[in-house]
């Protein structure tokens, strides 16, 4: 069993995270949980830990500083960061400091706990005694970024280029699986219809992985052909969906996002509705309400804090939108959830 230390300043988030994750099923055991970086360092001085999972934005000591000092105490310590999408650049800094991976809290909202732990454990096992050089780690993270996008699904040249790059890297089957297990949740969030095609249990060889990628491209192509739009337009809308997911807590205006993907506002609005299956504003509202529900269940933070994290800086407006969508005020939703536990 690998010993795990969990660090998060929000007690409810920390407790919820520890409770819902199927640790033992993946050979993991939580041996400690603390609320800030200094307490984490004290724990590391006294206990052997294999895996540190830490939030980034914490009082007393940031997750980044904790990682720097933790590595000095236990040089072989594996580290993973917990992050919201708005902390993505912060998470990238953690990767540069040697973090094994990062878990977005969206993944936890969407019941992907087994996949998350499997991905992390396989990366630990893959490193084993043959720990890759830091340059290899950076290259692997760059591959993740490239494959998480949607370009390769509709662009033949981009797909061929990425395949060639992947072939040159000669990744082990385990690292290939880690790469695509990290990427497929991003594809599924924007294109739920891909879910039946994302299973990877039977993939063991390079040829099987290539065929799997081609099947995904084929499915995307068929769904694209069923729409009265070119693959380029569909790709622009997918990119817009990806952008929305990554900036959900920010102000999202249709003209700005349309400009980001090089489309006029009116054409973007019509295309988004038909391709995403809902209007631009309904799409954002549904995602924000889903995030708010998750934060209300997992955090004891104030309703105002949750409103901001969900993209609603005005708490009264947030409460109104939440009630319209769920039939309950946020406080009533939280109480009902607590009563059902």
């Amino acid at each position: 069993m690998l010993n795990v230390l969990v660090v998060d300043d929000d007690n409810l988030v920390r407790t919820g995270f520890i409770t819902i994750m199927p640790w033992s099923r993946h050979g993991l055991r939580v041996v400690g949980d603390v609320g800030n970086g200094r307490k984490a360092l004290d724990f590391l001085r006294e206990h052997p830990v294999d895996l540190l999972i830490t939030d980034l934005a914490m009082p007393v000591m940031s997750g980044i500083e904790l990682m720097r000092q933790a590595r000095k105490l236990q040089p072989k310590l594996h580290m993973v960061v917990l992050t919201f999408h708005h902390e993505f650049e912060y998470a990238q800094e953690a990767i540069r400091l040697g973090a094994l991976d990062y878990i977005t809290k969206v993944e936890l909202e969407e019941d992907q706990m087994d996949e998350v732990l499997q991905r992390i454990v396989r990366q630990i096992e893959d490193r084993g005694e043959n720990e890759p050089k830091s340059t290899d780690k950076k290259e692997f993270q760059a591959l993740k970024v490239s494959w998480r996008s949607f370009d390769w699904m509709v662009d033949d040249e981009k797909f061929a280029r990425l395949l060639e790059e992947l072939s040159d890297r000669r990744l082990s089957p385990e690292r290939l699986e880690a790469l695509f297990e990290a990427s497929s949740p991003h594809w599924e969030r924007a294109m739920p219809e891909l879910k039946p095609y994302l299973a990877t249990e039977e993939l063991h060889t390079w040829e099987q992985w290539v065929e799997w990628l081609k099947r995904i491209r084929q499915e995307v192509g068929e769904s694209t052909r069923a729409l009265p739009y070119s693959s380029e337009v569909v790709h622009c809308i997918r990119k817009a969906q990806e952008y929305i997911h990554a900036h959900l807590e920010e102000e999202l205006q249709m003209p700005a996002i349309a400009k980001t993907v090089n489309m006029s506002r009116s054409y973007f609005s019509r295309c988004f509705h038909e391709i995403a299956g809902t209007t631009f504003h309904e799409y954002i509202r549904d995602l924000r309400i889903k995030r708010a529900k998750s934060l209300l269940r997992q955090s004891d933070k104030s309703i105002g804090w949750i409103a901001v994290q969900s993209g609603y800086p005005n708490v009264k407006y947030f409460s109104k939108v939440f009630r319209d969508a769920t039939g309950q005020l946020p406080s009533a939703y939280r109480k009902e959830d607590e009563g059902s536990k």
Side-chain angles (χ1 to χ4, degrees), residues 109-138:
E109 294 168 16
E110 299 185 355
D111 298 328
Q112 297 170 1
M113 284 77 78
D114 270 303
E115 290 88 343
V116 167
L117 292 184
Q118 186 179 52
R119 182 179 85 210
I120 290 168
V121 169
R122 285 184 176 168
Q123 288 188 74
I124 292 174
E125 291 173 346
D126 185 45
R127 291 187 178 188
E129 295 180 0
N130 299 313
E131 178 77 10
K133 297 177 182 177
S134 59
T135 53
D136 295 332
K137 295 178 190 177
K138 291 177 181 178

Side-chain angles (χ1 to χ4, degrees), residues 304-315:
W305 182 88
I306 289 171
V308 171
Q309 296 300 318
S310 303
Y312 295 102
N314 184 313
V315 68

Side-chain angles (χ1 to χ4, degrees), residues 212-275:
W212 178 73
L213 291 167
K214 288 180 177 178
R215 284 198 301 273
I216 292 173
R217 277 175 51 86
Q218 181 180 2
E219 177 59 27
V220 171
E222 289 177 0
S223 63
T224 299
R225 283 191 289 275
L227 295 165
Y229 298 106
S230 68
S231 61
E232 290 77 12
V233 169
V234 174
H235 175 60
C236 287
I237 299 303
R238 299 305 187 198
K239 292 288 286 185
Q241 289 175 282
E242 185 179 23
Y243 182 90
I244 290 167
H245 276 277
H247 299 83
L248 199 57
E249 75 289 348
E250 300 174 14
E251 183 179 5
L252 295 170
Q253 297 291 339
M254 185 188 296
I257 294 180
K259 185 177 180 180
T260 298
V261 295
N262 298 313
M263 295 175 71
S264 70
R265 181 190 182 283
S266 58
Y267 190 53
F268 174 84
S269 177
R270 177 156 59 90
C271 295
F272 192 98
H273 192 178
E274 295 190 26
I275 294 170

Side-chain angles (χ1 to χ4, degrees), residues 22-170:
W23 305 100
S24 60
R25 195 151 63 220
H26 299 278
L28 299 166
R29 171 179 57 202
V30 177
V31 294
D33 66 283
V34 295
N36 64 59
R38 286 182 186 168
K39 290 182 179 179
L41 292 175
D42 290 341
F43 188 93
L44 289 169
R45 290 186 184 99
E46 301 294 331
H47 304 87
V49 172
D50 301 294
L51 175 62
L52 168 69
I53 301 180
T54 179
D55 191 12
L56 290 177
M58 298 185 294
V60 182
M61 178 183 293
S62 72
I64 294 293
E65 183 59 28
L66 167 60
M67 290 176 58
R68 288 194 182 100
Q69 297 196 32
R71 180 53 59 82
K72 294 176 183 177
L73 290 175
Q74 297 193 24
K76 295 187 179 296
L77 180 67
H78 296 288
M79 298 180 291
V80 170
V81 298
L82 280 169
T83 178
F84 281 116
H85 279 296
H86 68 277
E87 296 170 335
F88 182 75
E89 291 185 3
Y90 205 18
Q92 292 295 83
E93 172 65 17
I95 293 294
R96 286 192 287 272
L97 287 172
L100 189 71
D101 206 334
Y102 58 87
I103 304 171
T104 66
K105 295 181 181 179
V106 172
E107 291 177 288
L108 305 182
E109 294 168 16
E110 299 185 355
D111 298 328
Q112 297 170 1
M113 284 77 78
D114 270 303
E115 290 88 343
V116 167
L117 292 184
Q118 186 179 52
R119 182 179 85 210
I120 290 168
V121 169
R122 285 184 176 168
Q123 288 188 74
I124 292 174
E125 291 173 346
D126 185 45
R127 291 187 178 188
E129 295 180 0
N130 299 313
E131 178 77 10
K133 297 177 182 177
S134 59
T135 53
D136 295 332
K137 295 178 190 177
K138 291 177 181 178
E139 289 171 356
F140 189 68
Q141 294 304 325
L143 281 175
K144 284 184 180 181
V145 172
S146 296
W147 283 102
R148 283 179 181 182
S149 75
F150 303 99
D151 299 19
W152 65 272
M153 295 183 184
V154 295
D155 186 325
D156 292 342
E157 290 186 9
K158 181 68 175 290
F159 180 56
R161 188 163 62 250
L162 282 177
L163 270 188
E164 183 179 2
E165 184 179 4
L166 207 55
S167 176
D168 291 342
R169 294 279 183 271
R170 298 186 181 276

